[in-house]
Amino acid sequence: MSLDKISTQLGGTHTKMPPVESWNPPYCGEIDIQIKANGDWFYQGGIFKRLALVKLFASVLIKEVNQNVDEYFLVTPVEKVKIKADDAPFVLTQWHWSDENNNIMKVSTNLDDEFILNAEHPLIVTEEGDLYVTVRRNLTAKVHRNVYYQWADIAQEVVTENGTELILSSADCQFSLGKL
């Protein structure tokens, strides 16, 4: 399995997400692609220089959980190859209010995925205190430290059944940034 072969099978760049959920190709082994914790993609130890190629591969990225271990794969209609990810495959790098009343927060990733922080794309806090947002399917983006600090600055202290928490609101949803 080579990058050229995968790229050819995918047929170039796409504007909408491929229907990877409906594909069930055979497993064809591993390919030396690694997604670093900062969101950089590497092939055989060298960084990808073409963002368009990274976006293409990210469009066919899936996550499977096997024995409580996250495993990542690139899938095409005819092949499925395993890759490595140090953490989440995406990094949430930017946000802004998309309405005048500051009720709807639009967020974006290092690969320019944009969406509303809401029930479909919730904020998740791990036991270790790391923050993630669901991007699509079961793929997540780790919230960049700068975004976290900006959110902490605008969040409201709220007393909940869990204690005092920093609460962020978007699209009629309440998200905890963690306990104080």
Side-chain angles (χ1 to χ4, degrees):
M1 172 58 67
S2 70
L3 291 184
D4 291 335
K5 190 172 181 182
I6 294 173
S7 185
T8 300
Q9 289 174 5
L10 295 174
T13 58
H14 297 275
T15 55
K16 68 178 199 171
M17 289 292 132
V20 296
E21 298 86 2
S22 65
W23 298 342
N24 190 21
Y27 176 71
C28 297
E30 294 186 25
I31 189 168
D32 188 13
I33 293 178
Q34 181 179 14
I35 307 170
K36 298 285 189 174
N38 69 353
D40 289 340
W41 287 55
F42 285 77
Y43 175 62
Q44 295 181 337
I47 192 165
F48 276 86
K49 295 184 175 154
R50 291 179 37 212
L51 182 60
L53 187 59
V54 172
K55 288 180 177 183
L56 176 65
F57 289 147
S59 74
V60 294
L61 181 66
I62 64 168
K63 178 175 86 171
E64 294 179 359
V65 180
N66 296 313
Q67 298 176 354
N68 293 323
V69 176
D70 293 346
E71 296 181 325
Y72 293 91
F73 300 88
L74 299 178
V75 294
T76 71
V78 296
E79 293 182 300
K80 174 181 175 181
V81 292
K82 187 175 180 179
I83 67 169
K84 295 182 181 94
D86 293 346
D87 197 346
F90 308 108
V91 179
L92 195 118
T93 56
Q94 298 179 29
W95 71 276
H96 67 272
W97 295 113
S98 66
D99 66 326
E100 292 178 8
N101 297 325
N102 296 347
N103 291 323
I104 300 173
M105 184 180 292
K106 184 175 270 191
V107 297
S108 60
T109 71
N110 59 316
L111 299 183
D112 301 325
D113 293 291
E114 283 192 333
F115 48 91
I116 303 297
L117 184 66
N118 59 16
E120 184 180 346
H121 303 282
L123 176 67
I124 304 157
V125 181
T126 66
E127 289 181 14
E128 295 81 23
D130 294 321
L131 280 76
Y132 296 87
V133 174
T134 302
V135 177
R136 59 178 173 268
R137 300 184 286 272
N138 62 344
L139 299 172
T140 58
K142 186 166 188 171
V143 175
H144 191 278
R145 183 172 294 170
N146 290 343
V147 172
Y148 169 77
Y149 288 136
Q150 293 169 18
W151 285 354
D153 191 45
I154 63 167
Q156 302 294 314
E157 287 186 30
V158 177
V159 177
T160 68
E161 59 189 33
N162 299 323
T164 303
E165 298 182 73
L166 281 178
I167 301 294
L168 188 66
S169 299
S170 176
D172 296 323
C173 296
Q174 308 291 310
F175 302 104
S176 175
L177 295 179
K179 291 190 270 186
L180 295 179

